[in-house]
Amino acid sequence: MAAFDDLMAFTRETEALAQVAGRLSWDQETVMPRGAGAQRAEEMGAMESVLHARRTDPRVADWLARAQALDEAGAAQLRLIRRSYERAVRVPADLATALARLTSRSQGVWAEARETNDFAAFAPVLTEVLTLKREEGAALAGGGNVYDALLDAFEPGATAAELQAMFDEMREGLVRLRLRALEGPELRAIRGTFDEAAQMRLSRELAERFGYDFTRGRIDKAVHPFSSGSGDDARITTRTSADDPFNCLYSTIHEVGHACYEQGIDSDWHLTPVGHGVSMGVHESQSRIYENQLGRSRAFCHFLYGRMRDAFGEIGVQDEDAFYATVNRLHRGYIRTEADEVQYNLHIMLRFDLERALVSGDLQVRDLEAAWNDRFAADFGYPVDRPAHGVLQDVHWSVGLFGYFPTYSLGNVYAGCLHEALRRAVPDLDDHLAQGDPTPATDWLRAAVQRHGGLHSPRETITRACGGQAPSAAPLMAYLEEKFGDLYPG
């Protein structure tokens, strides 16, 4: 047991340092002074240098060779530490440090370019990021598929070919639903001016109703909502818009899903590899089921309609049925995070195809804006009006997250499977949601998914939660057909 205990003590220190590095990223997105970008890049580079040295420490290999696990959790710890070690030793230390330093700087360049709608100002640093990510992917792939090696960091075991087959299976039904909705009468959007302080107050209430523990978390504002941290420090951000309170409210519920996953993991595993969400696809399943299947359900909209009238007064929607339709309406738009449940996946497919082409070299950064605009016009039927609504809208590529985007749609697929199992387990769920109480659902998700952290593989995690049924796109597509077939009968 000495080797196992020594390895876990060392790993906990590494995990703690990684959390500190994550806090630097949170600070950069929320409250860091604008002029601190260059210094923060050096700080992030220094942290990554320390972390990479620890992750590749030869003692880890020695401990792994001698360590023996006494239980299932111990075996999972060893499996995840071995995976991390084997990936880390393939990446040269100077490359890992250079990537951390560059992506910290690139994020600031992206934010300014987005604000000024100037892709040309961002393209040079994106080219640098892509070059280093290709190097990293090649090192990890060891002669295999470079994109798959990058994807594996976010969804262990997944391949681009498998995801492409899944997306091809979904696309026809999504396009059919989209066309039927947009060819019919347009459902009314919410109208008015909504006090931003009131939005934040209601967001906080919704976060608490969905089980977010504010003694171990906080809400701040950011350009791009995100969740950060784990265990006893799991933070979220949201954003406000004076004419669109749904942006704030549903971004909050979405990020609460992520944070509740981290807060719900067995506390014995904090600051260990098992003490995190097992993959970004499973993570996204939590945020999407909180936001969509629960938060946008007819029953919960019954409750939210009353709370919004309490918070804002007249909201331009006359009754609960109209409010439900407004919350869920399919609509023209450019922004992925504001997209409805049907078109969201089409946004992801666009990004998935473009980033694979970038990584393979089939698409050059200088041609990316035009390629984005052409693909968007083909998929959605109207042109992008400005870069901030197109190629510059997402932060992901600026920070090197190539391979991340497809996990969003995979998370939707997982959420569809979990929702089907949840409805079987909690047949009276709508009665609770109508009272603004998602607790039966969040308790079930905590027991079925969240508390296990990284104990099982992503696919096994979902299969176990669903009573042995392997994940597939069928439950999601059935849910979308029923929901939007009702809203848009054709």
Side-chain angles (χ1 to χ4, degrees):
M1 282 299 293
F4 182 87
D5 291 342
D6 289 345
L7 176 59
M8 291 308 301
F10 184 85
T11 299
R12 287 180 187 276
E13 289 184 354
T14 304
E15 291 280 341
L17 289 169
Q19 291 294 312
V20 173
R23 211 80 69 243
L24 288 175
S25 296
W26 168 86
D27 177 85
Q28 182 170 349
E29 287 278 342
T30 54
V31 296
M32 186 187 80
R34 178 174 294 218
Q39 179 173 314
R40 181 55 48 85
E42 292 301 314
E43 293 166 356
M44 293 296 291
M47 285 297 298
E48 181 57 34
S49 179
V50 171
L51 286 166
H52 190 270
R54 293 184 65 88
R55 289 168 177 155
T56 59
D57 192 310
R59 290 177 295 173
V60 174
D62 178 61
W63 285 322
L64 283 168
R66 294 187 293 111
Q68 293 184 337
L70 296 181
D71 56 19
E72 183 184 28
Q77 300 284 16
L78 293 180
R79 170 174 53 82
L80 293 173
I81 294 170
R82 182 173 288 107
R83 166 185 158 80
S84 174
Y85 177 77
E86 290 175 351
R87 285 180 64 88
V89 296
R90 293 176 185 173
V91 179
D94 58 348
L95 174 57
T97 301
L99 262 170
R101 185 180 294 117
L102 174 61
T103 52
S104 180
R105 176 170 64 86
S106 175
Q107 185 176 358
V109 176
W110 162 79
E112 292 185 9
R114 183 177 183 271
E115 189 173 327
T116 58
N117 282 289
D118 186 0
F119 177 73
F122 176 55
V125 72
L126 178 59
T127 300
E128 294 180 56
V129 171
L130 180 60
T131 298
L132 294 190
K133 291 301 293 186
R134 285 173 177 158
E135 290 183 29
E136 181 189 44
L140 291 168
N145 185 284
V146 172
Y147 184 83
D148 282 351
L150 297 174
L151 170 64
D152 193 67
F154 306 109
E155 194 65 26
T159 68
E162 292 169 347
L163 293 175
Q164 184 65 65
M166 181 185 74
F167 292 163
D168 289 345
E169 178 186 350
M170 296 167 61
R171 182 184 290 274
E172 181 180 352
L174 294 172
V175 170
R176 183 175 62 253
L177 278 173
R178 175 184 176 275
L179 289 176
R180 184 170 71 191
L182 296 182
E183 287 174 354
E186 184 174 357
L187 297 179
R188 184 174 183 176
I190 197 166
R191 296 173 184 169
T193 301
F194 301 88
D195 180 72
E196 297 189 29
Q199 291 184 44
M200 292 301 293
R201 286 193 297 271
L202 184 52
S203 285
R204 186 180 180 94
E205 177 192 331
L206 293 175
E208 290 176 330
R209 287 181 176 274
F210 276 88
Y212 185 51
D213 181 356
F214 276 99
T215 69
R216 300 188 292 151
R218 54 181 290 137
I219 296 181
D220 294 274
K221 292 172 65 173
V223 172
H224 191 110
F226 66 97
S227 176
S228 174
S230 66
D232 290 332
D233 193 343
R235 308 180 185 192
I236 66 171
T237 66
T238 190
R239 60 185 173 200
T240 57
S241 169
D243 60 0
D244 181 13
F246 293 149
N247 197 321
C248 177
L249 303 181
Y250 283 102
S251 289
T252 299
I253 296 173
H254 180 99
E255 300 306 335
V256 162
H258 282 303
C260 283
Y261 187 4
E262 294 294 331
Q263 290 183 340
I265 296 171
D266 191 315
S267 60
D268 289 344
W269 302 333
H270 286 181
L271 296 179
T272 75
V274 173
H276 299 285
V278 66
S279 74
M280 289 315 304
V282 177
H283 237 300
E284 195 66 16
S285 77
Q286 302 305 284
S287 61
R288 295 298 279 179
I289 197 171
Y290 275 49
E291 176 190 356
N292 292 328
Q293 282 92 342
L294 300 179
R296 297 183 191 271
S297 66
R298 185 181 293 275
F300 192 77
C301 284
H302 165 84
F303 162 79
L304 187 58
Y305 176 66
R307 287 298 298 115
M308 287 195 65
R309 288 169 65 90
D310 292 341
F312 304 112
E314 178 56 51
I315 61 174
V317 180
Q318 299 308 312
D319 58 48
E320 292 172 8
D321 286 341
F323 181 76
Y324 171 70
T326 295
V327 166
N328 289 286
R329 72 187 189 96
L330 268 73
H331 56 279
R332 291 164 59 97
Y334 306 102
I335 306 301
R336 171 185 63 85
T337 58
E338 299 172 8
D340 54 76
E341 292 180 73
V342 172
Q343 296 185 94
Y344 184 93
N345 295 295
L346 297 174
H347 282 274
I348 296 304
M349 293 174 192
L350 178 155
R351 289 154 175 78
F352 175 59
D353 289 343
L354 291 180
E355 72 175 15
R356 279 192 298 161
L358 285 169
V359 170
S360 69
D362 292 340
L363 176 64
Q364 302 302 310
V365 169
R366 64 176 176 270
D367 301 318
L368 175 59
E369 182 177 15
W372 179 295
N373 292 345
D374 290 345
R375 173 64 181 270
F376 186 90
D379 281 4
F380 292 90
Y382 46 93
V384 174
D385 63 344
R386 56 184 181 271
H389 286 170
V391 70
L392 289 177
Q393 69 178 266
D394 292 305
V395 70
H396 300 61
W397 291 337
S398 75
V399 292
L401 298 182
F402 291 90
Y404 192 118
F405 275 122
T407 68
Y408 286 123
S409 278
L410 184 58
N412 282 334
V413 168
Y414 288 163
C417 298
L418 292 170
H419 181 240
E420 185 178 70
L422 168 62
R423 288 287 178 176
R424 290 195 301 267
V426 189
D428 63 344
L429 177 59
D430 283 339
D431 293 339
H432 296 273
L433 291 175
Q435 300 300 315
D437 179 21
T439 304
T442 55
D443 283 351
W444 184 87
L445 289 166
R446 187 171 299 112
V449 177
Q450 294 168 6
R451 70 182 180 89
H452 301 292
L455 190 62
H456 310 295
S457 72
R459 186 178 182 85
E460 185 180 2
T461 297
I462 300 301
T463 300
R464 283 171 171 263
C466 295
Q469 183 174 331
S472 79
L476 173 66
M477 296 307 297
Y479 157 79
L480 293 175
E481 288 281 357
E482 180 180 359
K483 180 175 187 175
F484 291 94
D486 177 57
L487 284 168
Y488 298 95

